Amino acid sequence: MKNNPCSGSQCSGSQCFEDQQFADGPIGIFDSGVGGLSVLQHIHQLLPSENLLYVADSGHAPYGCKDESYIEQRSRIITEYFLSQGSKTIVIACNTATASIIEKFRQQYGIPFIGVEPGIKPAMAMTENNNVGIMATAGTLSSERYNELSQRFISSVNLYHQACPGLADQVEAGLLNAPETIRLLEKYLSLLLARQVDTIVLGCTHYSFLTKQIKKIINDSIHLVDTSRAIAEQLVRVLEQAALKKISGDGSIAYFTTGSINNTRATMKRLLNKEVVVNCLP
Ligand code: DGL
Protein backbone atom coordinates (compact mmCIF):
# COMPACT_ATOMS: atom_id res chain seq x y z
CA MET A 1 0.00 0.00 0.00
CA LYS A 2 1.27 3.39 -1.02
CA ASN A 3 1.59 5.73 1.91
CA ASN A 4 1.65 8.99 0.01
CA PRO A 5 -1.39 11.22 -0.22
CA CYS A 6 -2.65 11.49 -3.81
CA SER A 7 -2.10 14.85 -5.43
CA GLY A 8 -5.25 14.40 -7.57
CA SER A 9 -4.37 16.19 -10.79
CA GLN A 10 -1.32 13.99 -11.49
CA CYS A 11 -3.24 10.70 -11.24
CA SER A 12 -3.57 8.42 -14.23
CA GLY A 13 -4.43 4.75 -14.88
CA SER A 14 -3.46 2.15 -12.28
CA GLN A 15 -1.57 4.79 -10.28
CA CYS A 16 -4.86 6.63 -9.82
CA PHE A 17 -6.60 3.43 -8.74
CA GLU A 18 -3.92 2.85 -6.14
CA ASP A 19 -4.29 6.43 -4.90
CA GLN A 20 -8.07 6.05 -4.82
CA GLN A 21 -7.68 2.89 -2.75
CA PHE A 22 -5.46 4.82 -0.34
CA ALA A 23 -7.97 7.70 -0.12
CA ASP A 24 -10.71 5.16 0.70
CA GLY A 25 -8.65 3.72 3.56
CA PRO A 26 -9.85 4.06 7.15
CA ILE A 27 -8.77 6.72 9.64
CA GLY A 28 -7.03 5.24 12.67
CA ILE A 29 -7.73 6.89 16.03
CA PHE A 30 -6.17 5.82 19.31
CA ASP A 31 -5.80 6.71 22.96
CA SER A 32 -4.51 4.99 26.07
CA GLY A 33 -8.15 4.04 26.59
CA VAL A 34 -11.62 5.42 26.13
CA GLY A 35 -10.73 9.14 26.44
CA GLY A 36 -10.22 9.55 22.70
CA LEU A 37 -13.88 8.69 22.13
CA SER A 38 -14.52 12.37 22.90
CA VAL A 39 -12.59 13.19 19.71
CA LEU A 40 -14.01 10.26 17.74
CA GLN A 41 -17.58 11.50 18.25
CA HIS A 42 -16.77 14.83 16.61
CA ILE A 43 -14.85 13.14 13.80
CA HIS A 44 -17.82 10.93 12.99
CA GLN A 45 -20.14 13.93 13.05
CA LEU A 46 -17.97 15.99 10.69
CA LEU A 47 -16.88 13.11 8.45
CA PRO A 48 -19.86 10.72 8.30
CA SER A 49 -18.58 8.96 5.16
CA GLU A 50 -15.23 7.96 6.63
CA ASN A 51 -14.49 4.53 8.02
CA LEU A 52 -13.00 4.87 11.48
CA LEU A 53 -10.91 2.41 13.48
CA TYR A 54 -10.71 3.24 17.18
CA VAL A 55 -8.15 1.54 19.41
CA ALA A 56 -8.42 1.90 23.18
CA ASP A 57 -5.12 0.69 24.62
CA SER A 58 -6.95 -0.09 27.85
CA GLY A 59 -4.72 -3.03 28.67
CA HIS A 60 -1.84 -0.54 29.07
CA ALA A 61 -3.64 2.53 30.45
CA PRO A 62 -2.96 4.95 31.93
CA TYR A 63 -0.18 6.44 29.82
CA GLY A 64 0.07 9.52 32.03
CA CYS A 65 2.46 7.97 34.55
CA LYS A 66 4.52 5.85 32.08
CA ASP A 67 7.88 6.75 30.59
CA GLU A 68 8.21 7.93 27.01
CA SER A 69 9.83 4.73 25.70
CA TYR A 70 6.86 2.68 26.91
CA ILE A 71 4.38 5.10 25.28
CA GLU A 72 6.40 5.02 22.06
CA GLN A 73 6.41 1.22 22.03
CA ARG A 74 2.62 1.05 22.54
CA SER A 75 1.92 3.80 19.99
CA ARG A 76 4.10 2.02 17.43
CA ILE A 77 2.25 -1.27 17.79
CA ILE A 78 -1.08 0.50 17.30
CA THR A 79 0.19 2.65 14.41
CA GLU A 80 1.49 -0.44 12.62
CA TYR A 81 -1.86 -2.13 13.08
CA PHE A 82 -3.56 0.88 11.44
CA LEU A 83 -1.06 0.81 8.58
CA SER A 84 -1.71 -2.91 8.05
CA GLN A 85 -5.37 -1.94 7.58
CA GLY A 86 -4.48 0.68 4.94
CA SER A 87 -5.12 3.72 7.15
CA LYS A 88 -4.64 7.01 5.31
CA THR A 89 -4.35 9.17 8.43
CA ILE A 90 -3.84 8.61 12.15
CA VAL A 91 -5.31 10.69 14.95
CA ILE A 92 -3.46 10.44 18.25
CA ALA A 93 -6.45 11.24 20.47
CA CYS A 94 -4.24 11.42 23.53
CA ASN A 95 -2.32 14.44 24.81
CA THR A 96 0.25 12.27 26.55
CA ALA A 97 1.10 10.18 23.47
CA THR A 98 1.06 13.25 21.20
CA ALA A 99 3.58 14.95 23.47
CA SER A 100 5.87 11.90 23.42
CA ILE A 101 5.85 10.69 19.85
CA ILE A 102 4.07 12.75 17.21
CA GLU A 103 7.11 14.48 15.72
CA LYS A 104 9.07 11.22 15.47
CA PHE A 105 6.15 9.34 13.90
CA ARG A 106 5.48 12.13 11.39
CA GLN A 107 9.04 11.71 10.18
CA GLN A 108 9.05 7.91 10.24
CA TYR A 109 5.69 7.06 8.65
CA GLY A 110 4.62 8.61 5.36
CA ILE A 111 1.05 9.54 6.31
CA PRO A 112 -0.47 12.51 8.13
CA PHE A 113 -0.65 12.36 11.95
CA ILE A 114 -3.01 14.64 13.84
CA GLY A 115 -2.42 15.08 17.55
CA VAL A 116 -4.05 16.70 20.57
CA GLU A 117 -2.45 19.21 22.88
CA PRO A 118 -3.73 21.35 25.74
CA GLY A 119 -5.64 24.32 24.29
CA ILE A 120 -3.60 27.18 25.73
CA LYS A 121 -4.15 29.36 22.65
CA PRO A 122 -7.98 29.18 22.79
CA ALA A 123 -7.74 29.72 26.56
CA MET A 124 -5.85 32.96 25.95
CA ALA A 125 -8.70 34.22 23.83
CA MET A 126 -11.17 33.52 26.65
CA THR A 127 -9.42 34.56 29.82
CA GLU A 128 -10.18 37.99 31.18
CA ASN A 129 -7.86 37.98 34.19
CA ASN A 130 -4.97 36.11 32.48
CA ASN A 131 -5.03 33.26 35.00
CA VAL A 132 -5.38 29.95 33.18
CA GLY A 133 -5.40 26.49 34.76
CA ILE A 134 -4.29 23.41 32.86
CA MET A 135 -5.49 19.96 33.94
CA ALA A 136 -3.41 17.21 32.32
CA THR A 137 -1.46 14.05 33.05
CA ALA A 138 1.95 14.21 34.69
CA GLY A 139 3.40 12.81 31.44
CA THR A 140 2.00 15.66 29.33
CA LEU A 141 3.05 18.36 31.77
CA SER A 142 6.62 17.09 32.06
CA SER A 143 7.13 16.59 28.31
CA GLU A 144 9.48 18.68 26.23
CA ARG A 145 6.76 19.36 23.68
CA TYR A 146 4.39 20.76 26.30
CA ASN A 147 7.17 22.78 27.84
CA GLU A 148 7.86 24.41 24.46
CA LEU A 149 4.15 25.09 23.94
CA SER A 150 3.69 26.71 27.35
CA GLN A 151 6.88 28.80 26.96
CA ARG A 152 5.35 30.47 23.91
CA PHE A 153 2.53 31.89 26.04
CA ILE A 154 4.16 32.38 29.40
CA SER A 155 4.92 36.07 28.87
CA SER A 156 1.27 36.99 28.27
CA VAL A 157 -0.61 34.68 30.62
CA ASN A 158 -0.20 33.01 34.04
CA LEU A 159 -0.39 29.27 33.55
CA TYR A 160 -1.16 27.08 36.56
CA HIS A 161 -0.50 23.41 35.93
CA GLN A 162 -2.39 20.68 37.70
CA ALA A 163 -1.45 17.03 37.21
CA CYS A 164 -4.50 14.87 37.95
CA PRO A 165 -3.36 11.36 38.89
CA GLY A 166 -6.20 8.87 39.15
CA LEU A 167 -8.74 10.89 37.16
CA ALA A 168 -8.26 9.15 33.81
CA ASP A 169 -8.53 5.79 35.60
CA GLN A 170 -11.96 6.75 36.96
CA VAL A 171 -13.18 7.58 33.44
CA GLU A 172 -11.59 4.40 32.14
CA ALA A 173 -13.67 2.45 34.64
CA GLY A 174 -16.80 4.41 33.61
CA LEU A 175 -17.11 5.83 37.15
CA LEU A 176 -18.06 9.37 36.16
CA ASN A 177 -20.21 10.11 39.22
CA ALA A 178 -18.51 7.90 41.81
CA PRO A 179 -17.61 9.57 45.14
CA GLU A 180 -13.91 9.00 44.42
CA THR A 181 -14.17 10.78 41.05
CA ILE A 182 -15.90 13.77 42.64
CA ARG A 183 -13.35 13.79 45.48
CA LEU A 184 -10.46 13.90 42.99
CA LEU A 185 -12.14 16.62 40.95
CA GLU A 186 -12.80 18.73 44.05
CA LYS A 187 -9.20 18.30 45.13
CA TYR A 188 -7.62 19.26 41.79
CA LEU A 189 -10.08 22.03 40.97
CA SER A 190 -9.77 23.66 44.39
CA LEU A 191 -6.01 23.97 43.84
CA LEU A 192 -6.64 25.80 40.56
CA LEU A 193 -9.46 27.93 41.95
CA ALA A 194 -7.15 29.05 44.75
CA ARG A 195 -5.07 30.64 41.96
CA GLN A 196 -8.09 32.68 40.80
CA VAL A 197 -8.16 31.02 37.38
CA ASP A 198 -11.06 32.13 35.19
CA THR A 199 -10.32 29.58 32.44
CA ILE A 200 -9.52 25.87 32.76
CA VAL A 201 -8.06 23.78 29.94
CA LEU A 202 -8.96 20.09 29.78
CA GLY A 203 -5.56 18.78 28.72
CA CYS A 204 -6.46 15.09 28.66
CA THR A 205 -9.09 13.56 26.41
CA HIS A 206 -10.51 11.49 29.28
CA TYR A 207 -11.49 14.67 31.15
CA SER A 208 -13.96 15.73 28.44
CA PHE A 209 -16.29 13.08 29.80
CA LEU A 210 -16.22 14.84 33.18
CA THR A 211 -17.39 18.21 31.84
CA LYS A 212 -20.78 17.99 33.59
CA GLN A 213 -19.18 17.01 36.90
CA ILE A 214 -16.57 19.79 36.61
CA LYS A 215 -19.24 22.40 35.85
CA LYS A 216 -21.07 21.43 39.03
CA ILE A 217 -17.97 22.25 41.08
CA ILE A 218 -16.74 25.43 39.43
CA ASN A 219 -18.48 28.77 39.12
CA ASP A 220 -20.55 29.34 35.95
CA SER A 221 -18.33 32.23 34.95
CA ILE A 222 -15.25 30.01 34.55
CA HIS A 223 -14.53 29.00 30.97
CA LEU A 224 -13.72 25.38 30.12
CA VAL A 225 -11.53 24.69 27.11
CA ASP A 226 -11.97 21.36 25.36
CA THR A 227 -10.21 20.96 21.99
CA SER A 228 -11.95 17.74 20.85
CA ARG A 229 -14.04 19.56 18.24
CA ALA A 230 -11.07 21.59 17.01
CA ILE A 231 -9.08 18.37 16.47
CA ALA A 232 -11.85 16.96 14.29
CA GLU A 233 -11.95 20.23 12.31
CA GLN A 234 -8.19 20.08 11.85
CA LEU A 235 -8.54 16.52 10.53
CA VAL A 236 -11.10 17.71 7.97
CA ARG A 237 -8.66 20.41 6.78
CA VAL A 238 -5.79 17.93 6.50
CA LEU A 239 -7.89 15.45 4.52
CA GLU A 240 -9.16 18.18 2.19
CA GLN A 241 -5.69 19.55 1.55
CA ALA A 242 -4.35 16.07 0.75
CA ALA A 243 -7.42 15.22 -1.39
CA LEU A 244 -8.12 12.30 0.94
CA LYS A 245 -11.60 13.20 2.16
CA LYS A 246 -14.41 10.75 1.40
CA ILE A 247 -17.56 12.60 0.51
CA SER A 248 -20.10 9.89 -0.20
CA GLY A 249 -21.40 6.70 1.36
CA ASP A 250 -22.04 5.74 4.96
CA GLY A 251 -18.93 5.45 7.07
CA SER A 252 -18.41 2.80 9.74
CA ILE A 253 -16.76 2.71 13.17
CA ALA A 254 -14.91 -0.34 14.46
CA TYR A 255 -13.84 -0.37 18.12
CA PHE A 256 -10.86 -2.33 19.45
CA THR A 257 -9.32 -2.74 22.86
CA THR A 258 -6.17 -4.29 24.24
CA GLY A 259 -7.88 -4.73 27.61
CA SER A 260 -10.94 -6.60 28.76
CA ILE A 261 -13.61 -6.59 26.06
CA ASN A 262 -16.43 -6.71 28.63
CA ASN A 263 -15.09 -3.83 30.70
CA THR A 264 -14.33 -1.67 27.66
CA ARG A 265 -17.76 -2.35 26.19
CA ALA A 266 -19.44 -1.44 29.49
CA THR A 267 -17.48 1.82 29.79
CA MET A 268 -18.08 2.74 26.13
CA LYS A 269 -21.79 2.16 26.63
CA ARG A 270 -21.78 4.61 29.53
CA LEU A 271 -19.78 7.23 27.69
CA LEU A 272 -21.49 6.97 24.31
CA ASN A 273 -24.99 6.15 25.60
CA LYS A 274 -25.27 3.25 23.19
CA GLU A 275 -24.16 -0.37 22.83
CA VAL A 276 -21.11 -0.89 20.63
CA VAL A 277 -19.33 -4.01 19.48
CA VAL A 278 -15.79 -4.10 20.86
CA ASN A 279 -13.13 -6.34 19.35
CA CYS A 280 -9.83 -7.52 20.68
CA LEU A 281 -6.90 -5.80 18.91
CA PRO A 282 -5.40 -8.57 16.75
N1 DGL B 1 -6.34 10.41 27.45
C1 DGL B 1 -4.96 10.62 27.64
C2 DGL B 1 -4.51 12.05 27.37
O1 DGL B 1 -5.18 12.78 26.68
C3 DGL B 1 -4.20 10.01 28.74
C4 DGL B 1 -4.81 9.41 29.92
C5 DGL B 1 -3.82 8.45 30.54
O2 DGL B 1 -3.72 7.36 30.00
O3 DGL B 1 -3.13 8.83 31.49
O4 DGL B 1 -3.46 12.45 27.83
Short mmCIF file of all heavy atoms in Angstrom, two decimals, residues 31-33 35-36 61-65 93-97 116 137 140 168-169 203-207, ligand 1:
data_model
loop_
_atom_site.label_atom_id
_atom_site.label_comp_id
_atom_site.label_asym_id
_atom_site.label_seq_id
_atom_site.Cartn_x
_atom_site.Cartn_y
_atom_site.Cartn_z
N ASP A 31 -6.05 6.06 21.67
CA ASP A 31 -5.80 6.71 22.96
C ASP A 31 -5.34 5.60 23.90
O ASP A 31 -5.45 4.41 23.58
CB ASP A 31 -7.09 7.37 23.47
CG ASP A 31 -6.93 8.02 24.84
OD1 ASP A 31 -5.88 8.66 25.07
OD2 ASP A 31 -7.81 7.88 25.69
N SER A 32 -4.87 6.00 25.07
CA SER A 32 -4.51 4.99 26.07
C SER A 32 -5.75 4.18 26.47
O SER A 32 -5.63 3.09 27.00
CB SER A 32 -3.95 5.67 27.32
OG SER A 32 -4.96 6.49 27.89
N GLY A 33 -6.91 4.74 26.22
CA GLY A 33 -8.15 4.04 26.59
C GLY A 33 -9.33 4.68 25.92
O GLY A 33 -9.29 4.97 24.72
N GLY A 35 -10.69 7.68 26.49
CA GLY A 35 -10.73 9.14 26.44
C GLY A 35 -10.88 9.69 25.03
O GLY A 35 -11.62 10.64 24.79
N GLY A 36 -10.20 9.07 24.08
CA GLY A 36 -10.22 9.55 22.70
C GLY A 36 -11.58 9.44 22.03
O GLY A 36 -11.80 9.99 20.95
N ALA A 61 -3.33 1.21 29.88
CA ALA A 61 -3.64 2.53 30.45
C ALA A 61 -3.37 2.51 31.96
O ALA A 61 -3.43 1.44 32.56
CB ALA A 61 -5.11 2.86 30.19
N PRO A 62 -3.10 3.65 32.57
CA PRO A 62 -2.96 4.95 31.93
C PRO A 62 -1.56 5.16 31.36
O PRO A 62 -0.61 4.53 31.79
CB PRO A 62 -3.23 5.91 33.10
CG PRO A 62 -2.73 5.17 34.32
CD PRO A 62 -3.00 3.72 34.05
N TYR A 63 -1.48 6.06 30.37
CA TYR A 63 -0.18 6.44 29.82
C TYR A 63 0.47 7.54 30.68
O TYR A 63 1.68 7.72 30.64
CB TYR A 63 -0.34 7.02 28.41
CG TYR A 63 -0.54 6.03 27.28
CD1 TYR A 63 -0.71 6.49 25.97
CD2 TYR A 63 -0.56 4.65 27.49
CE1 TYR A 63 -0.90 5.61 24.91
CE2 TYR A 63 -0.76 3.77 26.42
CZ TYR A 63 -0.93 4.26 25.14
OH TYR A 63 -1.12 3.40 24.09
N GLY A 64 -0.37 8.29 31.37
CA GLY A 64 0.07 9.52 32.03
C GLY A 64 1.21 9.37 33.01
O GLY A 64 1.94 10.32 33.27
N CYS A 65 1.40 8.16 33.56
CA CYS A 65 2.46 7.97 34.55
C CYS A 65 3.58 7.07 33.99
O CYS A 65 4.47 6.66 34.71
CB CYS A 65 1.87 7.34 35.81
SG CYS A 65 0.95 5.85 35.44
N ALA A 93 -5.43 10.56 19.65
CA ALA A 93 -6.45 11.24 20.47
C ALA A 93 -6.06 11.21 21.94
O ALA A 93 -6.88 10.91 22.82
CB ALA A 93 -7.82 10.62 20.23
N CYS A 94 -4.81 11.52 22.19
CA CYS A 94 -4.24 11.42 23.53
C CYS A 94 -3.16 12.49 23.66
O CYS A 94 -2.20 12.50 22.86
CB CYS A 94 -3.63 10.02 23.69
SG CYS A 94 -2.74 9.78 25.23
N ASN A 95 -3.32 13.38 24.61
CA ASN A 95 -2.32 14.44 24.81
C ASN A 95 -0.97 13.86 25.19
O ASN A 95 0.08 14.33 24.74
CB ASN A 95 -2.78 15.38 25.93
CG ASN A 95 -4.01 16.19 25.57
OD1 ASN A 95 -3.91 17.33 25.18
ND2 ASN A 95 -5.18 15.59 25.68
N THR A 96 -1.00 12.85 26.04
CA THR A 96 0.25 12.27 26.55
C THR A 96 1.06 11.63 25.42
O THR A 96 2.27 11.86 25.30
CB THR A 96 -0.07 11.23 27.65
OG1 THR A 96 -1.08 11.75 28.51
CG2 THR A 96 1.16 10.88 28.45
N ALA A 97 0.39 10.84 24.58
CA ALA A 97 1.10 10.18 23.47
C ALA A 97 1.53 11.21 22.43
O ALA A 97 2.63 11.12 21.87
CB ALA A 97 0.22 9.10 22.85
N VAL A 116 -3.28 15.83 19.66
CA VAL A 116 -4.05 16.70 20.57
C VAL A 116 -3.07 17.33 21.55
O VAL A 116 -2.19 16.64 22.07
CB VAL A 116 -4.99 15.88 21.49
CG1 VAL A 116 -6.17 16.71 21.91
CG2 VAL A 116 -5.41 14.57 20.89
N THR A 137 -2.18 15.13 32.36
CA THR A 137 -1.46 14.05 33.05
C THR A 137 -0.05 14.55 33.38
O THR A 137 0.47 15.49 32.75
CB THR A 137 -1.35 12.79 32.16
OG1 THR A 137 -0.49 13.09 31.05
CG2 THR A 137 -2.70 12.33 31.66
N THR A 140 2.14 14.51 30.23
CA THR A 140 2.00 15.66 29.33
C THR A 140 2.74 16.86 29.90
O THR A 140 3.52 17.52 29.22
CB THR A 140 0.51 16.01 29.13
OG1 THR A 140 -0.14 14.90 28.50
CG2 THR A 140 0.33 17.25 28.27
N ALA A 168 -8.03 9.91 35.04
CA ALA A 168 -8.26 9.15 33.81
C ALA A 168 -8.70 7.72 34.14
O ALA A 168 -9.55 7.14 33.46
CB ALA A 168 -7.00 9.15 32.95
N ASP A 169 -8.15 7.17 35.23
CA ASP A 169 -8.53 5.79 35.60
C ASP A 169 -10.02 5.70 35.94
O ASP A 169 -10.68 4.70 35.66
CB ASP A 169 -7.74 5.32 36.83
CG ASP A 169 -6.25 5.47 36.63
OD1 ASP A 169 -5.77 6.62 36.66
OD2 ASP A 169 -5.57 4.46 36.44
N GLY A 203 -6.73 19.21 29.49
CA GLY A 203 -5.56 18.78 28.72
C GLY A 203 -5.39 17.27 28.67
O GLY A 203 -4.27 16.78 28.51
N CYS A 204 -6.49 16.56 28.77
CA CYS A 204 -6.46 15.09 28.66
C CYS A 204 -7.82 14.71 28.10
O CYS A 204 -8.86 15.20 28.58
CB CYS A 204 -6.25 14.47 30.04
SG CYS A 204 -6.55 12.68 30.10
N THR A 205 -7.82 13.86 27.08
CA THR A 205 -9.09 13.56 26.41
C THR A 205 -10.09 12.84 27.32
O THR A 205 -11.29 12.94 27.12
CB THR A 205 -8.84 12.74 25.12
OG1 THR A 205 -7.99 11.63 25.43
CG2 THR A 205 -8.19 13.59 24.06
N HIS A 206 -9.58 12.15 28.33
CA HIS A 206 -10.51 11.49 29.28
C HIS A 206 -11.36 12.53 30.02
O HIS A 206 -12.50 12.26 30.37
CB HIS A 206 -9.73 10.68 30.32
CG HIS A 206 -9.27 9.34 29.83
ND1 HIS A 206 -8.23 9.17 28.96
CD2 HIS A 206 -9.71 8.08 30.12
CE1 HIS A 206 -8.04 7.88 28.73
NE2 HIS A 206 -8.93 7.20 29.41
N TYR A 207 -10.80 13.70 30.30
CA TYR A 207 -11.49 14.67 31.15
C TYR A 207 -12.72 15.28 30.48
O TYR A 207 -13.60 15.80 31.15
CB TYR A 207 -10.54 15.81 31.60
CG TYR A 207 -9.25 15.36 32.26
CD1 TYR A 207 -8.18 16.23 32.40
CD2 TYR A 207 -9.11 14.06 32.75
CE1 TYR A 207 -6.99 15.83 33.01
CE2 TYR A 207 -7.91 13.65 33.34
CZ TYR A 207 -6.85 14.53 33.46
OH TYR A 207 -5.68 14.14 34.03
N1 DGL B 1 -6.34 10.41 27.45
C1 DGL B 1 -4.96 10.62 27.64
C2 DGL B 1 -4.51 12.05 27.37
O1 DGL B 1 -5.18 12.78 26.68
C3 DGL B 1 -4.20 10.01 28.74
C4 DGL B 1 -4.81 9.41 29.92
C5 DGL B 1 -3.82 8.45 30.54
O2 DGL B 1 -3.72 7.36 30.00
O3 DGL B 1 -3.13 8.83 31.49
O4 DGL B 1 -3.46 12.45 27.83
#
